[in-house]
């Protein structure tokens, strides 16, 4: 029972379970049941087929096979798989929407400032030196 | 509740067994506040606050802290609990448990070392539950 307790674990809301309220934490969450309210995760949110989330979501990756309604922030990526439905407002650094998926609403991009990329600067500036 | 007809059937056949029913799992770094309801078992390793109505077994792991009002078929506590705990079948307190509040169940067991501060109420189930097996069997025959 205690074997999966350590960091990097994924919590599970199974199919018959309904949660209304706030879920927060440092791990990932897999939802096959129903969640209404607020979800704040350092890890990923995975909504399985049949899972229904009506919530304000803030997670690293958000992967949708079920139904998600609400305001979602995916710090890395929002992925709506072919069985998935998304309704609402989403802010993500990147999107993947598969064929057959439903995406209704507003999408915004998180403009990620390019980190550690000094290598791309030179090409334009070197011309001064040459002249 | 009432949304998942399929699961109600499995609940009736295998109450209290992990294998038959779907088990939810809240990890040690997860905090859940609010109202949790539905079928299936639940293993809690993190923090839970609020109201819980489960048609299954609740396991409060040693690392967990549960505060609030809990109703379940059976409950095993190894961690911390405060509030009101109602079980249809049984409550078991492991030796690492620290419990305060009100417990209500037809059967209660405690390991040596368990800490319990509060009130205990034990009721025989009024309905024809298999808990009182000898009597009900005779009555049926």
């Amino acid at each position: 029972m205690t074997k999966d307790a350590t960091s990097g674990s994924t919590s599970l809301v199974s199919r018959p379970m309904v949660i209304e309220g706030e879920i927060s934490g440092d791990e990932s969450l897999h939802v096959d049941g129903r969640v209404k309210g607020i979800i704040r995760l350092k890890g990923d949110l995975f909504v399985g087929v049949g899972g229904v989330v009506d919530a304000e979501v803030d997670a690293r990756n958000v992967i949708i096979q079920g139904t998600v309604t609400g305001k979602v922030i995916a710090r890395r990526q929002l992925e709506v798989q072919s069985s998935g439905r998304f309704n609402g407002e989403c802010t993500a650094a990147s999107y993947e929407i598969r064929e057959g998926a439903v995406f209704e609403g507003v999408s915004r991009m998180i403009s990620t400032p390019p980190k550690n990329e000094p290598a791309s600067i030179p090409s334009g500036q070197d011309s001064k030196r040459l002249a | 509740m009432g949304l998942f007809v399929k699961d109600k059937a499995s609940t009736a056949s295998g109450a209290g067994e992990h294998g038959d029913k779907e088990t939810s799992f809240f990890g040690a770094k997860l905090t859940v506040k609010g109202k949790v309801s539905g079928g299936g078992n639940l293993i809690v390793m993190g923090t839970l606050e609020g109201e819980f109505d489960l048609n299954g077994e609740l396991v409060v792991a040693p690392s967990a802290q549960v505060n609030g009002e809990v109703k379940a078929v059976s409950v095993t506590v190894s961690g911390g609990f405060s509030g009101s705990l109602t079980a249809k079948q049984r409550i078991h307190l492991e030796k690492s448990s620290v419990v305060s509040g009100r417990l209500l169940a037809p059967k209660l067991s405690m390991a040596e070392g368990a800490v319990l501060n509060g009130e205990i109420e034990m009721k025989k189930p009024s309905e024809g539950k298999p808990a009182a097996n000898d009597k009900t069997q005779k009555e049926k025959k």
Side-chain angles (χ1 to χ4, degrees), chain A residues 1-5 9-14 17 19 27 29, chain B residues 17-19 21-30 32 36 39-48 52 54 56-66 72 74-78:
Chain A
M1 181 182 80
T2 41
K3 62 186 173 188
D4 296 334
S9 70
T10 299
S11 295
L12 170 69
V13 177
S14 69
M17 183 155 288
I19 299 176
E27 44 190 270
L29 178 68
Chain B
E17 284 195 11
H18 285 285
K21 290 202 289 181
E22 293 190 57
T23 300
S24 297
F25 170 81
F26 297 164
K29 290 176 183 169
L30 203 73
V32 178
V36 178
N41 303 315
L42 174 60
I43 299 171
V44 182
M45 313 196 88
T47 308
L48 268 184
F52 309 92
L54 296 174
E57 186 177 355
L58 173 69
V59 176
V60 181
S63 58
Q65 177 65 42
V66 177
S74 72
V75 181
T76 303
V77 183
S78 309

Side-chain angles (χ1 to χ4, degrees), chain A residues 78-126:
Chain A
L78 177 90
E79 186 178 331
V80 188
Q81 299 194 343
S82 56
S83 58
R85 292 183 69 97
F86 176 79
N87 261 288
E89 200 178 303
C90 182
T91 309
S94 114
Y95 287 88
E96 183 173 343
I97 299 172
R98 301 266 176 88
E99 194 179 335
V102 177
F103 188 108
E104 278 185 277
V106 183
S107 73
R108 288 196 187 89
M109 302 298 292
I110 299 172
S111 48
T112 42
K115 295 170 194 167
N116 312 320
E117 281 186 68
S120 61
I121 303 166
S123 58
Q125 292 180 338
D126 281 358

Side-chain angles (χ1 to χ4, degrees), chain A residues 31 38 58 65 77 83 94 117:
Chain A
V31 179
I38 298 169
D58 185 342
Q65 289 183 340
Q77 189 181 49
S83 58
S94 114
E117 281 186 68

Side-chain angles (χ1 to χ4, degrees), chain B residues 85-104:
Chain B
L85 190 53
T86 306
K88 272 186 203 160
Q89 286 179 359
R90 47 167 278 276
I91 294 173
H92 178 67
L93 307 182
E94 294 281 3
K95 63 177 180 184
S96 55
S97 66
V98 179
V99 176
S100 67
R102 188 163 179 271
L103 307 183
L104 197 156

